[in-house]
Each structure stands twice: as structure tokens, then as C-alpha cells.
Amino acid sequence: MSDEKGMVQVHPQGEGKTEGIQPAETALSLDTFAGKVQFKWVPEAEVSSLGQMPFFIEFLKESGLFESWVEDCPLQYTSPNAPPKRDVLGTILLSVLAGHWRYAHISALRGDGVNPELLGMRKVASEDSVRRALSSLEEKASGVWLKKHLKASYEPLLEEAWAMDVDTTVKPLYGHQEDAKVGYNPQKPGRPSHAYHSYFIANLRLVMDVDVQAGNQTAASFAQPELWSLLDGLPGSSRPRFVRGDCNWGNERAMVGAEQREIAYVFKLKQSAKVQQLIAKLFRNDQWEDAGQQWQGLSTKLQLSGWTQERRVVVLRRPLRQGIVEEKKSKKKAAKQLSLDLPEALYRGVLYEYAVLVTSLPDEVRTIAQHYRDRGDSENNFDELKNQWGWAGFTTQDRKRCQVMARITALIYNWWNIFMRLGIPDQHAEAITSRPLALHGIAWRTRHGNQTKIEVTSTHSKAGVIAEALTKVSGFLKRIKATAEQLTQAVRWRLILSAAFQYFLGGKVLGSTGRLTEATG
């Protein structure tokens, strides 16, 4: 191609003009393997792939959760071109609920023409805007803000008897992040990581707080300052009946901290030499009690060299399954394990595994054993939060933003769990099933004057079931609004929590002797 002066142009001057080119207004006829189909572009249509989100938005509005969270956010800008904090926080909310785990995934929300406006947002913020916003948050102020709203999500439940699970998980890192240290990492040894020290309301699967530290700070001693600060901030009547943790917590400092606060505990002990000697001695005892699920137990006293006093311990044993026994090289080698170099021991021809718990509870052996077995539920919390809620993602160079996103994710996780409990109160629905069930669907929004109409198509096999559950939740929220119009937001939230956890509360209203059916009509 050449110009008017005869000069040859290797490259074209640019893309051709597209002004005035619009999608065809009439339907096109396309030939497919299913026959002729009519196809038409509708550029003005407002659609969303999270078509059932309006039900959750109604929950956030009627409970006052989202509004107060946005108002309290300490995010402040000096630039007039910066997005409002409502847009930033709403974008994070939509991203976490969509199952994202990277900031780059936020771009996928730009096609949502329905939900941002329903949240009161002007538009979806860009991934860079979200990163910059979190970076500008002052660490102490953001911690106070998020801890306040995490506490608000569960605080009324603490008036009932409850237990606390304390545990730590590892988040592997792949770059040069702040505090990315090599520490205890059984899945990927040698990989730098962060340590997430977490505190849960046992069995309800609600996060009380999470503390992000360097990867080489996985020991319980690094988690205890945040734990005791959390518990010291609770009135005596709201403190847990007991705290439980794995062998990482079976140490003098943790036990003394609980004893000073008159909080009971159930911790697992590491298999030190003196603990092994105790097990070898008790294995020849014929007074073992039934501890449930094929376990046997004995209660005794023990004082290790690092302890300041003698404490109660419960020794548990269970015969190994035949298949596991056959994997051992020989019973002769297993017999040598009475020196207890490994966590099995042979007694009277049966190979046992064992565990030792230290506790300040006076309960019988079977109850103590069950308490510790129930602690396994906290592992399910970690699996869900890391694999389904993005705790293993949203990584930045600085640790501060990882901490902020960990707490925001935990808060949204709590909100979603409570919302789903309103619809399905008899069980916990993990995000891998509940989000596709209660969020996904194609929504079209149309406007007629001042009225907005949303139509949703869901292809889920249980679409009818979830439609009934979500309709039930919406009806409950409307009754709360109508019958409790003069009540404060705090009292409304009590009613919502009472309905969400009615199976645990036996149908009563938190903080009263009244029944839920009487309070909500």
C-alpha cells in the first residue's frame, strides 16, 4: 500500500473506524447441528451469572451487616478520582463470593450488570483499585475495624455454652513476599509460607479471628498473644467452656495461660520420652474404659519436667485395622516398639495406636475423648476456607494486605454460613455445593418505569429445592422487618442468629427464654 507521494507503507495506519457499526437489530438465522436457530444481539441487556445473589443482598440489607461494615471502614482517599469505598468493598464481596482467589479474577465481575447496583455501588472497581485501597489502609485501624465486625457476626452466640478450637494452617507462597519463611510445611517441605493462626467457634464453623504471621512462626507461642487478647476482651459469661488444640498447644505456657483465666482446656501431648514411658506402663493395666469409636481410655496424673504442677492426662488407645497391621514389616519389629519410638505398640498380640490428652476438665474419659475427636471439624474449616474461599490466594508482596484479606474473607464466610443456615438450618453446606446452588443462575433485569424486574434461570438439578429455601429466607426477613420494625439492629441480628442456629439452640431466642416462633410470628 502506498500514500499519495508514492511512499510505501509497510503497516496500515490503524484500525478502521467503527463508529455507527451496531449489532444487527433483527435476528439472524444460523444453521447448527440442531437445525436453524434465531440469534440476536441485545447490547442494552443487563445480566449476571450470579443470578440468585439478590437474596443474599436482601439478607445483608435487612441485617444491616454490609452498611455498617462500609461505614466503619477506615479507608480514606486524597484523590478525587479514587473509587468510593463502597465500590471497593462491594467488589471484594462479589469477588470472594464468586470463588476468586486472585486479584486478577476481579476483572470477570465487570460483566455483571445486576448485582453491583443492588449493593448500592456505582460500578465494579478494578483490580488495581482494590490493591491500592488495601495498601492505603493503616494496619492497626484495619485490624480494629475487621475484628469489630467479625465479633459482631457471632457475639450473641457466646451467651450459650460453647467451645473454642485453636489451630494453625500453612499458606505456601511462590514469590518474594514479606515474611515468606520456610517453616513447618508437611505438604510442601522447603516452600516459603505464611502461618494462619485461627480461632473458631467449635461445630458452628464460625471464624472468630485469624492472625497472619511469618511461615516459621507456626508454634502456639506465636498464636497465644492474639488468643488471650481475644478471650480477655470477652465478659466472663461469654468465655468458652473449654479451649482445645493439637499437640502444638500441649505446653506449659498455653496451659498456664488458660488456668490463669480459669478457662478449661483439652490439648494433645507430644510423644516425649516421659509420655512414652507412661503409655508403656499403662498398656499392661486391665482397667481400660470404653472411650467410644473403638477407643479405650485411662485417666491418670502426670508432671513433665517443664511443668510447674501435676496435671490430669487421659491416655487413649485403639487397635489398628488388620490392613494397617499387615503393612508393618513384622510383629517382631512392632514388639520392639514397646520402647515407643513409633506411635504403635504391641500388647497381647494386638497392635495399638495411642494418643495422650492433657485436660483440666473433670468429665469422664469417654466425654474427654469425644471432645478431642470433635476437634477434627476445625480441619474441615481450613479445607473449606483455603480451597473454596480464597484463603490460599489474594497474595501480595506485603503481609499487611494478606492479613486484611484473610479477615475480610473470614467475615464474608461467616455471613454466608449464617445466610445458608437460615435456608438449611439442620446442616452446614460447604461453599463447593452451596454457592452453585444458591448463587449461580443467569439473571436478566428489565425496567418498567420505577419498577425493576429480575428473571433468573437456574440449571442446577436442585433448583426447585433451593428456590423453596431462598423463598423461605426472604419470607423470614420480611417478617422480621414487619414484626420487629421498632427493634434495634442488634436485636434483629439476635433473631436472625436464633433462626439460623435453631437446631443448636433448641428453638429459643438468644438472650431470652422466649421461643423463636413467638418472636417472629
Side-chain angles (χ1 to χ4, degrees):
M1 178 170 69
S2 61
D3 60 13
E4 297 177 353
K5 297 181 181 180
M7 300 294 290
V8 176
Q9 294 182 338
V10 178
H11 298 288
Q13 294 180 356
E15 295 181 1
K17 295 182 179 180
T18 59
E19 289 98 349
I21 299 177
Q22 299 293 334
E25 295 184 2
T26 58
L28 300 178
S29 178
L30 304 178
D31 195 6
T32 73
F33 291 103
K36 295 283 186 180
V37 297
Q38 299 296 313
F39 183 91
K40 183 179 180 180
W41 282 279
V42 186
E44 71 278 5
E46 296 172 323
V47 298
S48 171
S49 61
L50 300 177
Q52 299 179 100
M53 175 75 81
F55 286 97
F56 185 60
I57 294 174
E58 181 186 34
F59 164 76
L60 295 178
K61 182 177 185 298
E62 296 303 330
S63 63
L65 295 172
F66 184 71
E67 200 68 40
S68 59
W69 183 52
V70 172
E71 288 178 1
D72 292 344
C73 179
L75 179 62
Q76 294 182 346
Y77 291 110
T78 55
S79 170
N81 298 321
K85 61 183 180 181
R86 190 182 194 93
D87 287 2
V88 172
L89 296 180
T91 298
I92 295 174
L93 172 72
L94 292 173
S95 180
V96 172
L97 285 171
H100 296 168
W101 66 92
R102 292 182 181 177
Y103 290 98
H105 296 163
I106 289 174
S107 300
L109 298 174
R110 291 188 172 274
D112 193 327
V114 178
N115 294 311
E117 184 176 340
L118 299 183
L119 279 168
M121 300 164 55
R122 293 191 313 182
K123 63 178 183 179
V124 174
S126 69
E127 58 174 290
D128 291 332
S129 295
V130 172
R131 283 196 189 96
R132 286 194 295 267
L134 297 184
S135 180
S136 65
L137 282 172
E138 197 274 324
E139 187 168 11
K140 184 176 180 181
S142 66
V144 171
W145 164 55
L146 289 170
K147 287 179 183 180
K148 172 186 174 182
H149 288 275
L150 274 167
K151 185 177 182 180
S153 70
Y154 61 76
E155 188 172 22
L157 292 166
L158 304 187
E159 297 171 6
E160 301 296 317
W162 65 286
M164 171 185 271
D165 282 332
V166 288
D167 209 344
T168 303
T169 190
V170 173
K171 173 184 176 178
L173 300 172
Y174 299 89
H176 301 283
Q177 289 81 15
E178 179 185 5
D179 287 335
K181 305 292 185 182
V182 177
Y184 174 72
N185 191 343
Q187 300 298 324
K188 296 183 179 180
R191 173 74 68 185
S193 62
H194 281 163
Y196 279 45
H197 298 290
S198 308
Y199 318 99
F200 301 97
I201 299 179
N203 301 326
L204 297 189
R205 294 203 180 187
L206 294 179
V207 182
M208 301 185 71
D209 196 15
V210 54
D211 188 23
V212 180
Q213 298 191 22
N216 59 354
Q217 296 180 349
T218 56
S221 58
F222 296 103
Q224 287 181 55
E226 189 67 31
L227 169 65
W228 303 134
S229 174
L230 175 63
L231 292 178
D232 290 342
L234 298 176
S237 59
S238 295
R239 290 186 176 182
R241 180 169 180 261
F242 62 89
V243 178
R244 63 188 176 197
D246 60 12
C247 58
N248 200 24
W249 287 83
N251 58 72
E252 173 73 6
R253 183 178 172 186
M255 290 183 287
V256 168
E259 289 161 354
Q260 289 174 344
R261 293 164 176 81
E262 299 183 345
I263 298 175
Y265 54 83
V266 179
F267 298 139
K268 190 176 183 180
L269 286 180
K270 293 182 179 179
Q271 296 159 12
S272 64
K274 196 164 184 178
V275 172
Q276 292 174 356
Q277 291 171 12
L278 174 66
I279 295 170
K281 176 182 176 181
L282 294 179
F283 258 44
R284 296 173 175 82
N285 191 308
D286 292 327
Q287 304 300 315
W288 291 88
E289 304 176 32
D290 178 25
Q293 298 186 17
Q294 298 186 338
W295 286 90
Q296 297 174 325
L298 274 176
S299 179
T300 185
K301 296 287 186 177
L302 178 66
Q303 182 171 358
L304 299 180
S305 57
W307 294 4
T308 55
Q309 61 178 318
E310 188 179 60
R311 293 184 172 93
R312 181 191 183 195
V313 295
V314 174
V315 182
L316 302 172
R317 74 178 185 184
R318 178 175 64 176
L320 288 171
R321 297 190 304 273
Q322 187 62 33
I324 298 178
V325 174
E326 291 173 354
E327 292 177 4
K328 305 301 175 182
K329 291 184 178 179
S330 67
K331 285 195 174 184
K332 182 178 179 181
K333 180 177 179 180
K336 293 180 180 179
Q337 291 171 7
L338 279 176
S339 63
L340 302 180
D341 296 322
L342 295 173
E344 294 89 25
L346 184 70
Y347 181 62
R348 293 184 177 177
V350 180
L351 195 62
Y352 288 91
E353 61 177 323
Y354 61 87
V356 182
L357 309 177
V358 57
T359 181
S360 59
L361 287 172
D363 301 345
E364 61 182 10
V365 168
R366 186 186 181 98
T367 302
I368 299 296
Q370 188 59 48
H371 282 330
Y372 191 76
R373 284 194 292 268
D374 288 343
R375 194 202 68 85
D377 196 49
S378 66
E379 299 296 336
N380 297 328
N381 291 338
F382 283 136
D383 289 342
E384 184 178 358
L385 281 160
K386 291 175 71 176
N387 299 331
Q388 303 169 31
W389 285 96
W391 250 13
F394 291 106
T395 302
T396 48
Q397 291 291 327
D398 56 300
R399 184 193 55 81
K400 180 190 77 173
R401 279 181 286 181
C402 293
Q403 173 69 83
V404 171
M405 274 305 300
R407 285 193 171 122
I408 289 178
T409 302
L411 179 62
I412 297 171
Y413 163 86
N414 281 356
W415 290 348
W416 180 256
N417 281 350
I418 295 167
F419 170 71
M420 287 304 301
R421 286 277 190 179
L422 287 174
I424 312 174
D426 58 338
Q427 63 179 334
H428 173 80
E430 290 197 0
I432 195 170
T433 56
S434 64
R435 285 201 307 245
L437 188 63
L439 279 183
H440 294 176
I442 303 300
W444 290 265
R445 182 171 64 176
T446 56
R447 303 174 190 271
H448 300 282
N450 294 329
Q451 292 186 343
T452 298
K453 180 180 179 182
I454 296 178
E455 297 179 89
V456 179
T457 299
S458 175
T459 59
H460 199 285
S461 60
K462 295 184 179 179
V465 175
I466 196 60
E468 181 180 350
L470 293 178
T471 301
K472 183 176 94 172
V473 173
S474 180
F476 168 76
L477 294 173
K478 286 179 173 60
R479 290 197 303 276
I480 289 285
K481 183 177 180 180
T483 61
E485 199 170 24
Q486 305 303 319
L487 299 180
T488 64
Q489 179 184 329
V491 176
R492 288 189 185 189
W493 186 238
R494 281 179 177 273
L495 292 175
I496 290 173
L497 286 177
S498 299
F501 296 101
Q502 57 186 279
Y503 275 72
F504 292 92
L505 300 171
K508 77 169 190 175
V509 176
L510 284 165
S512 75
T513 57
R515 309 302 295 174
L516 183 64
T517 52
E518 299 170 358
T520 61

